[in-house]
Amino acid sequence: MVEEKHDALDIVFHALSDRTRRGMLARLCDGELSVGDLAAPYAMSFAGAAKHVKVLERAGLVRREVRGRTHLCRLDAARLAEAQAWLKHYERYWTRGLDSLETLLRAEDAKAAQNAAKKSSCPTPSRKQERNGDV
Amino acid sequence: MVEEKHDALDIVFHALSDRTRRGMLARLCDGELSVGDLAAPYAMSFAGAAKHVKVLERAGLVRREVRGRTHLCRLDAARLAEAQAWLKHYERYWTRGLDSLETLLRAEDAKAAQNAAKKSSCPTPSRKQERNGDV
DNA sequence: TTTTTCTTCAACCATTTGGTTTAATTATTG
DNA sequence: CAATAATTAAACCAAATGGTTGAAGAAAAA
């Protein structure tokens, strides 16, 4: 009878819905950081940033190890896996679209290849982008 | 100089951080639904549910087509793809863990197979779960 | 036209969020 | 010991969130 209003996914997605917190997670990829280290890059007050760390912690995305007077934080990606598992259900609803886009691009490539064939051959046009912008 | 405080990812993750909205997205997988249809299953007021639809719409997760007096909504998964692309960056931080888990389970399976070998052979133990609980 | 249906809009309320500042806590260092 | 460093805790604030109710609009049906 604990009247749970938010399930784990609510809390994880909420934690991810803030650019500051996503930035913290990104920096934790390179290894453990203290709360102070995590807070340093941001313009806000230390206490403000520490609150963000706490949100990440409550979402289970970071784990904290108190070591002397500093609190070391490290990424715990398990909950991210859960979030991605949820999203994966919807993969088919965008891959369909991407597939047709892919088809279109392939057709374009083929046409371009035909036109270019008079001059040279170009086996794999390599339409890979992987552009991301991060954080 | 528009002073954008929230980027697209903020808004998408926030939209996903509510069970009601995730439920709506799930139901939209089966096809278009009116706002009324979307609202029906929930205990809250119609206007309350309609607000959730609007949040999804502003996040770019649903698109609305006004048709007569009913507003048809349909899933637009492109933004979900962006969210998953972000999560994909972290895949390596949980697959490492899952790999060792996998190794452990494989070892268990192998042992079980050895024990069972005296009675019968079982080619693919099929440790696939895909359990999800959805929404 | 009148009524009903589907929907938005506006006002309101309680709670949460993201931020601040100041004070308190805890561990290290001089 | 006293001083400093790393952090939390508490009180506060403005804005956003998630919900309500009641009214209004526009399209369809009577």
Side-chain angles (χ1 to χ4, degrees), chain B residues 67-98:
Chain B
R67 196 156 149 185
R69 68 184 163 185
T70 78
H71 295 204
L72 271 307
C73 300
R74 71 171 185 282
L75 182 65
D76 183 353
R79 294 292 171 81
L80 291 181
E82 293 176 23
Q84 210 206 29
W86 184 87
L87 281 170
K88 203 166 182 60
H89 274 187
Y90 294 84
E91 231 169 22
R92 101 173 201 73
Y93 296 97
W94 74 73
T95 49
R96 194 198 309 154
L98 291 185

Side-chain angles (χ1 to χ4, degrees), chain A residues 15-30 41-42 131-135, chain B residues 5-13 82-90:
Chain A
L16 295 180
S17 74
D18 183 282
R19 167 173 276 272
T20 299
R21 291 191 288 261
R22 289 198 305 278
M24 288 177 166
L25 289 182
R27 311 226 336 280
L28 284 174
C29 286
D30 298 331
Y42 301 101
R131 180 74 191 83
N132 204 284
D134 225 315
V135 169
Chain B
K5 187 177 283 181
H6 294 290
D7 61 22
L9 227 35
D10 285 22
I11 296 169
V12 168
F13 278 132
E82 293 176 23
Q84 210 206 29
W86 184 87
L87 281 170
K88 203 166 182 60
H89 274 187
Y90 294 84

